[in-house]
Amino acid sequence: MVQIETDVLIVGAGPAGASLACFLTHYGVTGLIISKASSTVRTPRSHYTNNATFECLRDVGLEEECRQLATPKELLMYSRICTTMGGEELSRTYNCGTDPNRYGEFKKASPCEQADLPQSVLEPILLRVATQNGFRLRWDCQFVSFHQDETTSKVHSVIQDVLTNQKITVISKFLCGADGARSVVARELQLPFNDTPGGGLALNVFVDADLNHLLTPHSPGLIHILLHPTKPQPDFCSLAIARFVKPFTQWVFVMLAKPNITAITATPSEILSHVHDLIGDPSVKVTLKRLSTWKINETYAERYTTPGKNNIFCLGDAVHRHPPFNGLGSNTSIQDAYNLAWKIGFVHQSLASLSLLDSYTAERQPIGKAIVKRANDTGRMHAKLFSLLGVPNPDTADKLQILSRLGDDTAQGEELRLAFQNLVEGLDVERHGFGIEMNQLYQSDALYPDDETGPPPTNTGPPEHADLYYRESTYPGSRLPHAWLRAPAAGSKEPMISTHDLAGKGKFTLFTGIGGKKGWVEAAGMVKGLLGVEVVVHSIGWREDYRDVFFDWGRKRGVGERGAVLVRPDRVVAWRCDNVGGGDGWGEKLTRVMARILGR
């Protein structure tokens, strides 16, 4: 059998696998990506790209290229519930951080804005960067099995060309399974899964249809929930949700099948006829591009690797599977990859021990579990709303009567209106769920919280606020707070720079202020000499390396001016201190912290 030897074998070329390869190239890691598919995806699939994911893309220099190909959030402004695309509108709500009451909150929390970036656009960018920087890519190639060499710990994987049936052995230092909801790597790794039964079946209908006359200039909405109450709903569509791919000429109509439907048996012409009904304007020409079905899952892995095999990992949909509510799927997958990449990179460069890789499951599995719950809880909230409006009712007369009752000047009408409003407003946890997107608080041995005198930060207010609102902190395990800064000599026309731009880039970063720079630069020099790891030091303050022009960093840093905030390459705070104390010099303390984080 032919053998190939490489650093990393990545199974799967979707958002998780493609981004992992892209991120790994920044650590000098090369490898092989294989995919059972014949190309990048042909349908848009995931599309909403949140602030946290754009921050990852920004760190590797891809934000601007991706943003130029994305739809800006101004065109994502509304989410609507209506009878048809051109029919009666029952509600309109702000979407994707555009609510005037919360716009400033989103703006101040990140240097990046959300946008609509379909998977079909993002994948080619990530794969191009990966393959131009040391990775090889093989389509039409499936993963079969693996075994681990007990002497070298290298992974021997058998892959197979699906066109020729030729089998090849790939010997790699690391194996990463990003092969989706039917992950063979997860199966071979015998990962335990928590799987909640139920779910259902859904159909994505990808079409060309020019709907500009129905949406512009006053309805630039991303999401349109379509009730279509005037006809009995077909088995394949109890309810439809339309979203544009290219405004406003290319669309995906997501059709949720009726309960207990296990297969879509309708013909393409029948499905296309229903799309015409959902649009509500018979003059619109609709061209079918592609149909695809998917299952509504509520599944997450209990761990992302197996004890004793800490150079084999799974990520993305291979370990967390859920419906697209809240738009968390590919975002979480890319952030899985971002977390894993620096750890593989440091181990590959012999800057960290293999134990650092144990922190991947410890940090990312709780996130995967949380987003699976959030997406399905949001789905259940939608189900309550649909039930209130009579969507599951097969009797069109009853459904029309419910809609009519929304306008009745009666106690029953008022009660229905209030219930409808409460459910619509409750779904703000989907439209503006900034907390579930940004509030990751890692807990692992790759952090140093020992000097903290208080507990980890928590959100105030009712429990749902944890998913609604971002909680900024420099407590170890938190994402680095964003603050705009200026270089001392920067003129008024020069762009500001974010704290995020000073961190990342494959290195550890230490932020300090007036009175701290000399000591922490010397401490970083000791770390470099003893551990071989570079720690970049930036001092923020009056006439320091950077000016805190809006005083935001001073409010967010959580330590005094001479103190330190140590940030990992994934822009997560690893440690902070106000005063070294304990008889240690700054260099000794920083060296001990870094050695613990890296498992040295």
Side-chain angles (χ1 to χ4, degrees), residues 253-295:
F253 286 79
V254 181
M255 300 184 183
L256 306 181
K258 290 181 178 179
N260 303 317
I261 296 298
T262 58
I264 304 297
T265 58
T267 65
S269 61
E270 289 172 331
I271 294 169
L272 205 56
S273 175
H274 190 57
V275 171
H276 275 285
D277 289 342
L278 293 169
I279 291 172
D281 181 349
S283 69
V284 174
K285 179 183 177 182
V286 182
T287 303
L288 179 63
K289 295 178 72 67
R290 199 168 184 86
L291 297 172
S292 57
T293 58
W294 49 276
K295 279 187 64 180

Side-chain angles (χ1 to χ4, degrees), residues 430-474:
E430 177 182 28
R431 297 181 297 266
H432 288 87
F434 206 30
I436 192 64
E437 295 176 358
M438 302 280 279
N439 277 345
Q440 296 94 336
L441 179 64
Y442 294 156
Q443 294 181 339
S444 78
D445 290 338
L447 304 163
Y448 197 99
D450 302 37
D451 296 328
E452 296 299 319
T453 57
T458 57
N459 285 75
T460 57
E464 59 268 23
H465 280 193
D467 286 349
L468 267 172
Y469 299 105
Y470 172 39
R471 177 196 64 246
E472 275 189 309
S473 175
T474 57

Side-chain angles (χ1 to χ4, degrees), residues 252-511:
V252 170
F253 286 79
V254 181
M255 300 184 183
L256 306 181
K258 290 181 178 179
N260 303 317
I261 296 298
T262 58
I264 304 297
T265 58
T267 65
S269 61
E270 289 172 331
I271 294 169
L272 205 56
S273 175
H274 190 57
V275 171
H276 275 285
D277 289 342
L278 293 169
I279 291 172
D281 181 349
S283 69
V284 174
K285 179 183 177 182
V286 182
T287 303
L288 179 63
K289 295 178 72 67
R290 199 168 184 86
L291 297 172
S292 57
T293 58
W294 49 276
K295 279 187 64 180
I296 298 172
N297 290 311
E298 188 166 1
T299 305
Y300 61 87
E302 298 284 358
R303 59 176 186 264
Y304 290 4
T305 188
T306 293
K309 292 181 170 58
N310 61 353
N311 57 344
I312 307 172
F313 315 94
C314 284
L315 63 157
D317 288 354
V319 285
H320 40 77
R321 306 159 193 172
H322 53 86
F325 301 112
N326 284 82
L328 297 167
S330 67
N331 287 295
T332 306
S333 299
I334 291 169
Q335 291 164 46
D336 285 345
Y338 190 67
N339 178 284
L340 181 58
W342 82 268
K343 296 170 182 178
I344 289 178
F346 268 59
V347 171
H348 176 72
Q349 297 173 57
S350 300
L351 298 176
S353 76
L354 275 171
S355 66
L356 174 64
L357 299 170
D358 294 335
S359 66
Y360 168 63
T361 281
E363 294 181 351
R364 292 305 299 175
Q365 192 277 341
I367 305 303
K369 178 180 177 179
I371 63 109
V372 167
K373 182 178 186 301
R374 177 66 270 162
N376 280 279
D377 282 351
T378 299
R380 287 183 273 270
M381 293 171 71
H382 276 284
K384 289 182 181 178
L385 176 61
F386 304 154
S387 180
L388 180 76
L389 297 174
V391 170
N393 193 332
D395 191 322
T396 57
D398 285 350
K399 286 194 280 191
L400 290 169
Q401 188 176 25
I402 290 172
L403 295 183
S404 176
R405 198 180 303 142
L406 282 169
D408 285 354
D409 183 19
T410 63
Q412 293 84 356
E414 184 177 1
E415 182 182 353
L416 181 62
R417 287 189 294 274
L418 181 59
F420 176 67
Q421 179 180 338
N422 287 339
L423 286 169
V424 170
E425 291 180 343
L427 282 166
D428 204 41
V429 76
E430 177 182 28
R431 297 181 297 266
H432 288 87
F434 206 30
I436 192 64
E437 295 176 358
M438 302 280 279
N439 277 345
Q440 296 94 336
L441 179 64
Y442 294 156
Q443 294 181 339
S444 78
D445 290 338
L447 304 163
Y448 197 99
D450 302 37
D451 296 328
E452 296 299 319
T453 57
T458 57
N459 285 75
T460 57
E464 59 268 23
H465 280 193
D467 286 349
L468 267 172
Y469 299 105
Y470 172 39
R471 177 196 64 246
E472 275 189 309
S473 175
T474 57
Y475 190 94
S478 303
R479 64 190 307 106
L480 171 67
H482 155 68
W484 287 118
L485 310 171
R486 275 194 181 279
S492 59
K493 294 183 179 180
E494 293 183 44
M496 291 182 289
I497 188 169
S498 170
T499 46
H500 280 244
D501 298 323
L502 300 179
K505 314 295 185 296
K507 299 177 181 178
F508 278 81
T509 306
L510 188 146
F511 291 96

Side-chain angles (χ1 to χ4, degrees), residues 91-104:
S91 75
R92 175 184 296 226
T93 46
Y94 289 107
N95 196 41
C96 300
T98 60
D99 186 336
N101 295 316
R102 298 196 60 190
Y103 180 72

